[in-house]
Coordinates of all heavy atoms in Angstrom, one line a residue:
T93 N -0.8 -84.7 -15.9 CA 0.2 -85.1 -16.9 C 1.6 -85.0 -16.3 O 1.9 -84.1 -15.6 CB 0.0 -84.1 -18.1 OG1 -1.3 -84.1 -18.6 CG2 1.0 -84.5 -19.2
K94 N 2.4 -85.9 -16.7 CA 3.8 -85.9 -16.3 C 4.7 -85.8 -17.5 O 4.4 -86.4 -18.6 CB 4.1 -87.2 -15.5 CG 3.5 -87.4 -14.2 CD 3.9 -88.6 -13.5 CE 3.2 -88.8 -12.2 NZ 3.7 -90.0 -11.5
A95 N 5.8 -85.1 -17.3 CA 6.8 -85.0 -18.4 C 8.1 -84.9 -17.7 O 8.3 -84.4 -16.6 CB 6.5 -83.8 -19.2
S96 N 9.1 -85.5 -18.4 CA 10.5 -85.4 -17.9 C 11.4 -84.7 -18.9 O 11.2 -85.0 -20.1 CB 11.0 -86.8 -17.6 OG 10.3 -87.4 -16.6
Y97 N 12.3 -83.9 -18.5 CA 13.2 -83.2 -19.4 C 14.6 -83.3 -18.8 O 14.7 -83.1 -17.6 CB 12.8 -81.7 -19.6 CG 11.4 -81.6 -20.1 CD1 10.3 -81.4 -19.3 CD2 11.2 -81.6 -21.5 CE1 9.0 -81.2 -19.8 CE2 9.9 -81.4 -22.0 CZ 8.8 -81.3 -21.2 OH 7.6 -81.1 -21.7
E98 N 15.6 -83.4 -19.6 CA 16.9 -83.4 -19.1 C 17.5 -82.0 -19.5 O 17.5 -81.6 -20.6 CB 17.8 -84.5 -19.8 CG 19.2 -84.5 -19.2 CD 19.9 -85.7 -19.7 OE1 19.3 -86.8 -19.8 OE2 21.1 -85.6 -19.9
L99 N 18.0 -81.3 -18.5 CA 18.5 -80.0 -18.6 C 20.0 -80.0 -18.4 O 20.5 -80.7 -17.5 CB 17.9 -79.0 -17.7 CG 16.4 -78.9 -17.7 CD1 15.8 -78.0 -16.6 CD2 15.9 -78.4 -19.0
D100 N 20.8 -79.3 -19.2 CA 22.2 -79.2 -19.0 C 22.6 -77.8 -19.3 O 21.8 -76.9 -19.7 CB 23.0 -80.2 -19.8 CG 22.7 -80.0 -21.3 OD1 22.0 -79.1 -21.7 OD2 23.3 -80.9 -22.1
G101 N 23.9 -77.5 -19.1 CA 24.4 -76.2 -19.4 C 24.3 -75.2 -18.2 O 24.6 -74.0 -18.4
F102 N 24.0 -75.7 -17.0 CA 23.9 -74.8 -15.9 C 25.4 -74.4 -15.5 O 26.3 -75.2 -15.6 CB 23.3 -75.5 -14.7 CG 21.8 -75.7 -14.9 CD1 21.3 -77.0 -15.2 CD2 20.9 -74.7 -14.7 CE1 19.9 -77.1 -15.4 CE2 19.6 -74.8 -14.9 CZ 19.1 -76.1 -15.3
I103 N 25.5 -73.2 -15.0 CA 26.8 -72.7 -14.6 C 26.9 -72.9 -13.0 O 26.0 -72.4 -12.3 CB 27.0 -71.3 -15.0 CG1 26.9 -71.1 -16.5 CG2 28.3 -70.7 -14.5 CD1 26.8 -69.7 -17.0
E104 N 27.9 -73.6 -12.6 CA 28.1 -73.8 -11.2 C 28.3 -72.5 -10.4 O 28.9 -71.6 -10.9 CB 29.4 -74.7 -10.9 CG 29.5 -75.1 -9.5 CD 30.6 -76.1 -9.3 OE1 31.0 -76.8 -10.3 OE2 31.1 -76.2 -8.2
G105 N 27.6 -72.4 -9.3 CA 27.7 -71.2 -8.5 C 26.6 -70.1 -8.8 O 26.6 -69.1 -8.2
C106 N 25.8 -70.3 -9.9 CA 24.8 -69.4 -10.2 C 23.4 -69.9 -9.7 O 23.2 -71.0 -9.5 CB 24.7 -69.3 -11.8 SG 26.1 -68.5 -12.5
Y107 N 22.5 -68.9 -9.5 CA 21.2 -69.2 -9.1 C 20.3 -69.2 -10.3 O 20.4 -68.3 -11.1 CB 20.7 -68.3 -8.0 CG 21.4 -68.4 -6.7 CD1 22.5 -67.6 -6.4 CD2 21.1 -69.4 -5.8 CE1 23.2 -67.7 -5.2 CE2 21.8 -69.5 -4.6 CZ 22.8 -68.7 -4.3 OH 23.5 -68.8 -3.1
Y108 N 19.3 -70.0 -10.3 CA 18.3 -70.1 -11.4 C 16.9 -70.0 -10.8 O 16.7 -70.6 -9.7 CB 18.5 -71.3 -12.2 CG 19.8 -71.4 -13.0 CD1 21.0 -71.9 -12.4 CD2 19.9 -70.8 -14.3 CE1 22.2 -71.9 -13.1 CE2 21.1 -70.8 -15.0 CZ 22.2 -71.4 -14.4 OH 23.4 -71.4 -15.0
A109 N 16.0 -69.4 -11.5 CA 14.6 -69.4 -11.1 C 13.7 -70.1 -12.1 O 14.0 -70.1 -13.3 CB 14.1 -67.9 -11.0
S110 N 12.7 -70.8 -11.6 CA 11.8 -71.4 -12.5 C 10.6 -70.5 -12.7 O 10.3 -69.7 -11.9 CB 11.3 -72.8 -11.9 OG 12.4 -73.6 -11.7
Y111 N 9.8 -70.8 -13.8 CA 8.6 -70.0 -14.0 C 7.7 -70.9 -14.8 O 8.1 -71.9 -15.5 CB 8.9 -68.7 -14.8 CG 9.5 -68.9 -16.2 CD1 8.6 -68.9 -17.2 CD2 10.8 -69.0 -16.4 CE1 9.1 -69.1 -18.5 CE2 11.3 -69.2 -17.6 CZ 10.5 -69.2 -18.7 OH 10.9 -69.4 -20.0
I112 N 6.4 -70.5 -14.8 CA 5.4 -71.2 -15.6 C 4.7 -70.0 -16.4 O 4.6 -68.9 -15.9 CB 4.4 -72.0 -14.8 CG1 3.7 -71.2 -13.8 CG2 5.1 -73.2 -14.2 CD1 2.6 -72.0 -13.0
T113 N 4.2 -70.3 -17.6 CA 3.5 -69.4 -18.3 C 2.0 -69.7 -18.4 O 1.7 -70.9 -18.3 CB 4.0 -69.3 -19.8 OG1 3.9 -70.5 -20.4 CG2 5.5 -68.9 -19.8
L114 N 1.2 -68.7 -18.4 CA -0.3 -68.9 -18.4 C -0.9 -68.5 -19.7 O -0.5 -67.4 -20.2 CB -0.9 -68.2 -17.2 CG -0.3 -68.5 -15.8 CD1 -0.9 -67.5 -14.8 CD2 -0.6 -69.9 -15.4
N115 N -1.7 -69.3 -20.2 CA -2.4 -68.9 -21.5 C -1.5 -68.5 -22.6 O -1.8 -67.7 -23.4 CB -3.4 -67.8 -21.2 CG -4.4 -68.2 -20.1 OD1 -4.9 -69.3 -20.1 ND2 -4.7 -67.3 -19.2
T116 N -0.3 -69.2 -22.7 CA 0.6 -68.9 -23.8 C 1.2 -70.3 -24.2 O 1.2 -71.2 -23.4 CB 1.7 -68.0 -23.4 OG1 2.4 -68.4 -22.2 CG2 1.2 -66.6 -23.2
A117 N 1.6 -70.4 -25.4 CA 2.2 -71.6 -25.9 C 3.7 -71.8 -25.6 O 4.2 -72.9 -25.7 CB 1.9 -71.8 -27.4
S118 N 4.3 -70.7 -25.3 CA 5.8 -70.7 -25.1 C 6.2 -69.6 -24.2 O 5.5 -68.6 -24.0 CB 6.5 -70.7 -26.5 OG 6.3 -69.4 -27.0
A119 N 7.5 -69.7 -23.8 CA 8.1 -68.6 -23.0 C 8.2 -67.3 -23.8 O 8.0 -66.2 -23.3 CB 9.4 -69.0 -22.5
Q120 N 8.5 -67.5 -25.1 CA 8.5 -66.3 -26.0 C 7.2 -65.6 -26.1 O 7.1 -64.4 -26.1 CB 9.0 -66.7 -27.4 CG 9.3 -65.6 -28.3 CD 10.4 -64.7 -27.9 OE1 11.3 -65.1 -27.2 NE2 10.2 -63.4 -28.2
D121 N 6.1 -66.4 -26.2 CA 4.8 -65.7 -26.2 C 4.5 -65.0 -24.9 O 3.9 -63.9 -25.0 CB 3.7 -66.8 -26.5 CG 3.7 -67.4 -27.8 OD1 4.4 -66.8 -28.7 OD2 3.1 -68.5 -28.0
A122 N 4.9 -65.6 -23.8 CA 4.6 -64.9 -22.5 C 5.4 -63.7 -22.4 O 5.0 -62.6 -21.9 CB 5.0 -65.9 -21.4
L123 N 6.7 -63.7 -22.9 CA 7.6 -62.5 -22.9 C 7.0 -61.4 -23.7 O 6.9 -60.2 -23.3 CB 9.0 -62.8 -23.3 CG 9.9 -61.7 -23.5 CD1 10.1 -61.0 -22.1 CD2 11.2 -62.1 -24.0
Q124 N 6.4 -61.8 -24.9 CA 5.8 -60.8 -25.7 C 4.6 -60.1 -25.1 O 4.4 -58.9 -25.2 CB 5.4 -61.4 -27.1 CG 5.1 -60.3 -28.1 CD 6.2 -59.3 -28.4 OE1 7.3 -59.7 -28.7 NE2 5.8 -58.1 -28.3
K125 N 3.8 -60.9 -24.4 CA 2.6 -60.4 -23.7 C 3.1 -59.4 -22.6 O 2.5 -58.4 -22.4 CB 1.8 -61.5 -23.1 CG 0.9 -62.2 -24.1 CD -0.1 -63.1 -23.4 CE -1.1 -63.6 -24.3 NZ -2.2 -64.4 -23.7
L126 N 4.2 -59.8 -21.9 CA 4.7 -58.9 -20.9 C 5.2 -57.6 -21.5 O 4.9 -56.5 -21.0 CB 5.9 -59.5 -20.1 CG 5.5 -60.5 -19.1 CD1 6.7 -61.2 -18.5 CD2 4.8 -59.9 -17.9
L127 N 5.9 -57.6 -22.6 CA 6.4 -56.4 -23.3 C 5.2 -55.6 -23.8 O 5.4 -54.4 -23.9 CB 7.3 -56.8 -24.4 CG 8.6 -57.5 -24.0 CD1 9.4 -58.0 -25.2 CD2 9.5 -56.6 -23.1
D128 N 4.2 -56.2 -24.2 CA 3.0 -55.5 -24.8 C 2.1 -54.8 -23.7 O 1.4 -53.9 -24.0 CB 2.2 -56.4 -25.7 CG 2.9 -56.8 -26.9 OD1 3.9 -56.2 -27.3 OD2 2.4 -57.8 -27.6
S129 N 2.2 -55.3 -22.5 CA 1.3 -54.8 -21.4 C 2.0 -53.6 -20.8 O 3.2 -53.4 -20.9 CB 1.0 -55.9 -20.4 OG 2.2 -56.2 -19.7
S130 N 1.1 -52.8 -20.1 CA 1.6 -51.6 -19.4 C 2.3 -51.9 -18.1 O 3.0 -51.1 -17.5 CB 0.5 -50.6 -19.2 OG -0.5 -51.2 -18.4
S131 N 2.1 -53.1 -17.5 CA 2.7 -53.5 -16.2 C 2.9 -55.0 -16.2 O 2.2 -55.7 -16.8 CB 1.8 -53.0 -15.1 OG 0.6 -53.7 -15.1
I132 N 3.8 -55.4 -15.4 CA 4.1 -56.8 -15.2 C 2.9 -57.4 -14.4 O 2.5 -56.8 -13.4 CB 5.4 -57.0 -14.4 CG1 6.6 -56.6 -15.3 CG2 5.6 -58.5 -14.0 CD1 7.9 -56.6 -14.7
S133 N 2.4 -58.5 -14.8 CA 1.2 -59.1 -14.2 C 1.4 -60.6 -14.2 O 2.0 -61.2 -15.1 CB 0.0 -58.7 -15.0 OG -1.1 -59.5 -14.7
S134 N 0.8 -61.2 -13.2 CA 0.8 -62.7 -13.1 C -0.2 -63.3 -14.1 O -0.3 -64.5 -14.1 CB 0.5 -63.1 -11.7 OG -0.9 -62.8 -11.4
D135 N -0.8 -62.4 -14.9 CA -1.7 -63.0 -16.0 C -0.9 -63.8 -17.0 O -1.5 -64.5 -17.8 CB -2.5 -61.9 -16.7 CG -3.4 -61.2 -15.7 OD1 -3.8 -61.8 -14.7 OD2 -3.8 -60.0 -16.0
H136 N 0.4 -63.6 -17.1 CA 1.2 -64.1 -18.1 C 2.3 -65.1 -17.6 O 2.5 -66.1 -18.2 CB 1.8 -63.1 -19.0 CG 0.8 -62.0 -19.4 ND1 -0.3 -62.3 -20.2 CD2 0.8 -60.7 -19.2 CE1 -1.0 -61.2 -20.4 NE2 -0.3 -60.2 -19.8
V137 N 3.0 -64.7 -16.6 CA 4.1 -65.5 -16.1 C 4.1 -65.5 -14.6 O 3.9 -64.5 -14.0 CB 5.5 -64.9 -16.6 CG1 6.6 -65.8 -16.1 CG2 5.5 -64.8 -18.1
L138 N 4.4 -66.7 -14.0 CA 4.5 -66.8 -12.6 C 5.9 -67.4 -12.3 O 6.3 -68.4 -12.9 CB 3.5 -67.7 -12.0 CG 2.1 -67.3 -12.1 CD1 1.1 -68.4 -11.6 CD2 1.9 -66.0 -11.2
F139 N 6.7 -66.7 -11.4 CA 8.1 -67.0 -11.2 C 8.2 -67.7 -9.8 O 7.3 -67.5 -8.9 CB 8.9 -65.8 -11.2 CG 9.0 -65.1 -12.5 CD1 8.2 -64.1 -12.9 CD2 10.0 -65.5 -13.4 CE1 8.2 -63.5 -14.1 CE2 10.1 -64.9 -14.6 CZ 9.2 -63.9 -15.0
S140 N 9.2 -68.5 -9.6 CA 9.5 -69.2 -8.4 C 10.0 -68.2 -7.3 O 10.0 -68.5 -6.1 CB 10.5 -70.3 -8.5 OG 11.7 -69.8 -9.0
M141 N 10.4 -67.0 -7.7 CA 10.9 -66.0 -6.7 C 9.7 -65.0 -6.4 O 9.2 -64.4 -7.4 CB 12.1 -65.2 -7.3 CG 13.3 -66.1 -7.6 SD 14.6 -65.4 -8.5 CE 14.3 -63.6 -8.4
D142 N 9.4 -64.9 -5.2 CA 8.2 -64.0 -4.8 C 8.4 -62.6 -5.3 O 7.4 -62.0 -5.8 CB 8.1 -64.0 -3.3 CG 7.8 -65.3 -2.6 OD1 7.6 -66.3 -3.4 OD2 7.8 -65.3 -1.4
E143 N 9.6 -62.0 -5.3 CA 9.8 -60.7 -5.7 C 9.4 -60.4 -7.2 O 9.1 -59.3 -7.6 CB 11.2 -60.2 -5.5 CG 11.6 -60.2 -4.0 CD 11.9 -61.5 -3.4 OE1 12.0 -62.5 -4.1 OE2 11.9 -61.6 -2.1
A144 N 9.4 -61.5 -8.0 CA 9.1 -61.3 -9.4 C 7.6 -61.4 -9.7 O 7.2 -61.3 -10.8 CB 9.8 -62.4 -10.2
N145 N 6.8 -61.6 -8.6 CA 5.3 -61.7 -8.7 C 4.7 -60.6 -7.9 O 4.1 -60.9 -6.9 CB 4.9 -63.1 -8.3 CG 5.5 -64.2 -9.0 OD1 5.5 -64.3 -10.2 ND2 6.1 -65.1 -8.2
P146 N 4.7 -59.4 -8.3 CA 4.1 -58.3 -7.5 C 2.6 -58.4 -7.5 O 2.0 -58.7 -8.6 CB 4.6 -57.0 -8.1 CG 4.9 -57.4 -9.5 CD 5.4 -58.8 -9.5
D147 N 2.0 -58.1 -6.4 CA 0.5 -58.1 -6.4 C 0.1 -56.7 -6.9 O 0.9 -55.9 -7.3 CB 0.0 -58.4 -5.0 CG 0.3 -57.4 -3.9 OD1 0.8 -56.3 -4.2 OD2 0.1 -57.7 -2.7
L148 N -1.2 -56.4 -6.8 CA -1.7 -55.1 -7.2 C -1.1 -53.9 -6.5 O -1.1 -52.8 -7.0 CB -3.2 -55.0 -7.1 CG -4.0 -56.1 -8.0 CD1 -5.5 -56.0 -7.6 CD2 -3.7 -55.9 -9.4
F149 N -0.5 -54.1 -5.3 CA 0.1 -53.0 -4.6 C 1.6 -53.1 -4.6 O 2.3 -52.4 -3.9 CB -0.4 -53.1 -3.1 CG -1.9 -53.2 -3.0 CD1 -2.6 -54.3 -2.7 CD2 -2.6 -52.0 -3.1 CE1 -3.9 -54.3 -2.6 CE2 -4.0 -52.0 -3.0 CZ -4.7 -53.2 -2.8
G150 N 2.1 -53.9 -5.5 CA 3.6 -54.0 -5.7 C 4.3 -54.9 -4.6 O 5.5 -54.9 -4.6
Q151 N 3.5 -55.6 -3.8 CA 4.1 -56.4 -2.8 C 4.4 -57.8 -3.4 O 3.6 -58.3 -4.2 CB 3.2 -56.6 -1.6 CG 2.9 -55.3 -0.9 CD 4.2 -54.6 -0.3 OE1 5.0 -55.3 0.3 NE2 4.4 -53.4 -0.7
P152 N 5.5 -58.5 -2.9 CA 5.8 -59.8 -3.4 C 4.7 -60.8 -3.1 O 4.2 -60.8 -2.0 CB 7.1 -60.2 -2.7 CG 7.7 -58.9 -2.2 CD 6.5 -58.0 -2.0
T153 N 4.4 -61.7 -4.0 CA 3.4 -62.7 -3.8 C 4.0 -64.1 -4.2 O 4.6 -64.2 -5.2 CB 2.2 -62.4 -4.7 OG1 1.7 -61.2 -4.4 CG2 1.1 -63.5 -4.5
A154 N 3.8 -65.1 -3.3 CA 4.3 -66.4 -3.6 C 3.5 -67.1 -4.6 O 2.2 -67.2 -4.5 CB 4.3 -67.2 -2.3
A155 N 4.1 -67.6 -5.7 CA 3.5 -68.4 -6.7 C 4.0 -69.8 -6.6 O 3.5 -70.7 -7.2 CB 3.7 -67.8 -8.1
A156 N 5.2 -70.0 -5.9 CA 5.8 -71.3 -5.8 C 6.4 -71.4 -4.4 O 6.8 -70.4 -3.8 CB 6.9 -71.4 -6.8
I157 N 6.4 -72.6 -3.9 CA 7.1 -72.9 -2.6 C 8.0 -74.1 -2.7 O 7.7 -75.0 -3.5 CB 6.1 -73.1 -1.5 CG1 5.2 -74.3 -1.8 CG2 5.3 -71.8 -1.2 CD1 4.2 -74.7 -0.7
P158 N 9.1 -74.1 -2.0 CA 10.0 -75.3 -2.0 C 9.4 -76.4 -1.1 O 9.0 -76.1 0.0 CB 11.3 -74.8 -1.4 CG 10.9 -73.6 -0.6 CD 9.7 -73.0 -1.2
F159 N 9.2 -77.6 -1.7 CA 8.8 -78.7 -0.9 C 10.0 -79.4 -0.3 O 9.9 -80.1 0.7 CB 8.0 -79.7 -1.7 CG 6.6 -79.4 -1.8 CD1 5.8 -80.1 -2.7 CD2 5.9 -78.4 -1.1 CE1 4.4 -79.9 -2.8 CE2 4.6 -78.1 -1.2 CZ 3.8 -78.9 -2.1
A160 N 11.1 -79.3 -0.9 CA 12.4 -79.9 -0.5 C 13.5 -79.2 -1.3 O 13.2 -78.2 -2.0 CB 12.4 -81.4 -0.8
S161 N 14.7 -79.5 -1.0 CA 15.8 -78.8 -1.7 C 15.8 -79.0 -3.2 O 16.4 -78.2 -3.9 CB 17.2 -79.3 -1.1 OG 17.4 -80.7 -1.4
D162 N 15.1 -80.0 -3.7 CA 15.1 -80.2 -5.2 C 13.7 -80.3 -5.7 O 13.5 -80.8 -6.8 CB 15.9 -81.5 -5.5 CG 15.4 -82.7 -4.8 OD1 14.4 -82.6 -4.0 OD2 16.0 -83.8 -5.0
I163 N 12.7 -79.7 -5.0 CA 11.3 -79.7 -5.5 C 10.7 -78.4 -5.3 O 10.8 -77.8 -4.2 CB 10.4 -80.8 -4.8 CG1 11.0 -82.2 -5.0 CG2 9.0 -80.7 -5.2 CD1 10.3 -83.3 -4.2
I164 N 10.1 -77.8 -6.4 CA 9.4 -76.6 -6.3 C 7.9 -76.8 -6.8 O 7.7 -77.5 -7.8 CB 10.0 -75.5 -7.2 CG1 11.4 -75.2 -6.8 CG2 9.2 -74.2 -7.3 CD1 12.1 -74.3 -7.7
A165 N 7.0 -76.3 -6.0 CA 5.6 -76.5 -6.4 C 4.9 -75.1 -6.6 O 5.1 -74.2 -5.8 CB 4.9 -77.2 -5.2
F166 N 4.2 -75.0 -7.7 CA 3.5 -73.8 -8.1 C 2.0 -73.8 -7.8 O 1.4 -74.8 -8.0 CB 3.7 -73.6 -9.6 CG 5.0 -73.0 -10.0 CD1 6.1 -73.8 -10.3 CD2 5.2 -71.6 -10.1 CE1 7.3 -73.3 -10.6 CE2 6.4 -71.0 -10.5 CZ 7.5 -71.9 -10.7
E167 N 1.5 -72.7 -7.5 CA 0.1 -72.4 -7.5 C -0.2 -71.6 -8.8 O 0.4 -70.6 -9.0 CB -0.3 -71.6 -6.3 CG -1.8 -71.1 -6.3 CD -2.8 -72.2 -6.3 OE1 -2.6 -73.3 -5.6 OE2 -3.7 -72.1 -7.1
D168 N -1.1 -72.1 -9.6 CA -1.3 -71.5 -10.9 C -2.1 -70.2 -10.8 O -2.1 -69.4 -11.8 CB -1.9 -72.4 -11.9 CG -3.3 -72.9 -11.5 OD1 -3.7 -72.7 -10.4 OD2 -3.9 -73.6 -12.4
M169 N -2.8 -69.9 -9.7 CA -3.5 -68.6 -9.6 C -3.3 -68.1 -8.2 O -4.1 -68.3 -7.3 CB -5.0 -68.8 -9.8 CG -5.3 -69.3 -11.2 SD -7.1 -69.5 -11.6 CE -7.7 -70.5 -10.2
P170 N -2.1 -67.4 -7.9 CA -1.8 -67.1 -6.5 C -2.7 -66.1 -5.9 O -2.8 -66.0 -4.7 CB -0.4 -66.5 -6.7 CG -0.3 -66.1 -8.1 CD -1.1 -67.0 -8.9
Y171 N -3.5 -65.3 -6.6 CA -4.4 -64.3 -6.0 C -5.7 -64.9 -5.8 O -6.4 -64.4 -4.9 CB -4.5 -63.1 -7.0 CG -3.1 -62.5 -7.3 CD1 -2.7 -62.5 -8.6 CD2 -2.3 -62.0 -6.4 CE1 -1.5 -62.0 -9.0 CE2 -1.1 -61.5 -6.7 CZ -0.6 -61.5 -8.0 OH 0.6 -61.0 -8.3
S172 N -6.2 -65.9 -6.5 CA -7.5 -66.4 -6.4 C -7.6 -67.9 -6.4 O -8.7 -68.4 -6.4 CB -8.4 -65.8 -7.5 OG -7.9 -66.2 -8.8
G173 N -6.5 -68.6 -6.4 CA -6.5 -70.0 -6.5 C -6.8 -70.7 -5.1 O -7.1 -70.0 -4.1
D174 N -6.7 -72.0 -5.1 CA -7.0 -72.7 -3.9 C -5.8 -72.8 -2.9 O -5.9 -73.3 -1.9 CB -7.5 -74.1 -4.2 CG -6.6 -74.9 -5.1 OD1 -5.5 -74.5 -5.3 OD2 -7.1 -75.9 -5.6
M175 N -4.6 -72.3 -3.4 CA -3.4 -72.2 -2.6 C -2.9 -73.6 -2.1 O -2.4 -73.7 -1.0 CB -3.6 -71.2 -1.4 CG -4.0 -69.8 -1.8 SD -2.9 -69.0 -3.0 CE -1.5 -68.6 -2.0
D176 N -3.2 -74.6 -2.9 CA -2.7 -75.9 -2.5 C -1.3 -76.2 -3.1 O -0.6 -77.1 -2.7 CB -3.6 -77.0 -3.0 CG -3.8 -77.0 -4.6 OD1 -3.2 -76.1 -5.3 OD2 -4.6 -77.7 -5.1
F177 N -0.8 -75.3 -3.9 CA 0.6 -75.4 -4.5 C 0.9 -76.8 -5.0 O 1.9 -77.4 -4.7 CB 1.6 -75.0 -3.4 CG 1.6 -73.5 -3.2 CD1 0.8 -73.0 -2.2 CD2 2.4 -72.6 -3.9 CE1 0.8 -71.6 -1.9 CE2 2.3 -71.3 -3.7 CZ 1.5 -70.8 -2.7
N178 N 0.0 -77.3 -5.8 CA 0.2 -78.6 -6.4 C -0.2 -78.6 -7.9 O -0.4 -79.7 -8.5 CB -0.6 -79.7 -5.7 CG -2.1 -79.7 -5.9 OD1 -2.6 -78.7 -6.4 ND2 -2.8 -80.7 -5.4
D179 N -0.3 -77.4 -8.5 CA -0.8 -77.3 -9.9 C 0.4 -77.7 -10.8 O 0.1 -78.3 -11.8 CB -1.3 -75.9 -10.1 CG -2.5 -75.6 -9.2 OD1 -3.5 -76.4 -9.3 OD2 -2.4 -74.7 -8.4
V180 N 1.6 -77.3 -10.5 CA 2.8 -77.7 -11.3 C 3.8 -78.0 -10.3 O 4.2 -77.1 -9.4 CB 3.2 -76.5 -12.2 CG1 4.5 -77.0 -12.9 CG2 2.2 -76.2 -13.3
V181 N 4.4 -79.2 -10.3 CA 5.4 -79.6 -9.3 C 6.6 -79.9 -10.2 O 6.6 -80.7 -11.1 CB 5.0 -80.7 -8.5 CG1 6.1 -81.2 -7.5 CG2 3.7 -80.4 -7.7
M182 N 7.8 -79.3 -9.8 CA 9.0 -79.5 -10.6 C 10.0 -80.2 -9.6 O 10.3 -79.7 -8.5 CB 9.6 -78.2 -11.1 CG 8.7 -77.6 -12.1 SD 9.4 -76.0 -12.6 CE 8.2 -75.4 -13.7
F183 N 10.6 -81.3 -10.1 CA 11.7 -82.0 -9.3 C 13.0 -81.8 -10.1 O 13.1 -82.1 -11.3 CB 11.3 -83.5 -9.3 CG 12.4 -84.3 -8.8 CD1 12.8 -84.3 -7.4 CD2 13.1 -85.2 -9.6 CE1 13.8 -85.1 -7.0 CE2 14.1 -86.0 -9.1 CZ 14.5 -85.9 -7.8
Y184 N 13.9 -81.3 -9.4 CA 15.3 -81.0 -9.9 C 16.3 -82.0 -9.3 O 16.9 -81.6 -8.3 CB 15.7 -79.6 -9.7 CG 14.9 -78.6 -10.4 CD1 13.7 -78.0 -9.8 CD2 15.1 -78.2 -11.7 CE1 13.0 -77.1 -10.4 CE2 14.3 -77.3 -12.3 CZ 13.3 -76.7 -11.7 OH 12.5 -75.8 -12.3
G185 N 16.4 -83.1 -9.8 CA 17.3 -84.1 -9.2 C 17.4 -85.3 -10.1 O 16.9 -85.3 -11.2
D186 N 18.2 -86.2 -9.7 CA 18.4 -87.4 -10.5 C 17.4 -88.5 -10.1 O 17.2 -88.7 -8.9 CB 19.8 -88.0 -10.2 CG 20.9 -87.0 -10.8 OD1 20.7 -86.4 -11.8 OD2 22.0 -86.9 -10.1
F187 N 16.8 -89.1 -11.1 CA 15.9 -90.2 -10.8 C 16.8 -91.4 -10.6 O 17.7 -91.7 -11.3 CB 14.9 -90.5 -11.9 CG 13.9 -89.4 -12.0 CD1 13.9 -88.4 -13.0 CD2 12.8 -89.4 -11.1 CE1 12.9 -87.5 -13.1 CE2 11.8 -88.4 -11.2 CZ 11.9 -87.5 -12.2
I188 N 16.4 -92.2 -9.6 CA 17.2 -93.4 -9.3 C 16.5 -94.6 -9.9 O 15.4 -94.8 -10.1 CB 17.2 -93.6 -7.8 CG1 18.0 -92.4 -7.1 CG2 17.9 -94.9 -7.4 CD1 18.0 -92.4 -5.6

């Protein structure tokens, strides 16, 4: 499935991270699952920054990799997936 969204309101000079939610209908639902659980887990949210995805031992785990300066590709199951990093691909640029 493909979808396009136009995003605005970014602040120049700031860094932003992307994330995907698993088994939830919205980011708010994923946040609530995180708040209700006893530990942060990739069962609910996967972030583009490795440090935000700790494994069972607290070590950073890659859930996303950059394909180019404006493309991020996610693996939807970083601990047991096929590690092809093509489950969710995000392009941050202008379409020509």
Side-chain angles (χ1 to χ4, degrees):
T93 303
K94 291 183 180 182
S96 296
Y97 302 93
E98 187 172 322
L99 305 173
D100 61 3
F102 290 104
I103 300 170
E104 189 173 333
C106 291
Y107 293 98
Y108 293 88
S110 298
Y111 65 92
I112 59 174
T113 61
L114 305 172
N115 301 320
T116 54
S118 69
Q120 185 63 32
D121 291 345
L123 176 60
Q124 191 59 51
K125 281 189 174 188
L126 282 172
L127 294 173
D128 292 344
S129 67
S130 60
S131 64
I132 294 176
S133 167
S134 68
D135 294 340
H136 310 301
V137 181
L138 295 172
F139 295 92
S140 60
M141 299 171 14
D142 296 355
E143 293 78 13
N145 303 308
D147 65 11
L148 297 174
F149 305 104
Q151 298 299 309
T153 301
I157 58 173
F159 274 173
S161 62
D162 55 2
I163 298 174
I164 297 174
F166 279 89
E167 173 59 44
D168 62 350
M169 297 183 310
Y171 307 114
S172 61
D174 54 13
M175 303 306 283
D176 58 5
F177 289 90
N178 70 353
D179 300 300
V180 176
V181 179
M182 296 179 184
F183 169 71
Y184 296 91
D186 294 323
F187 287 104
I188 299 173

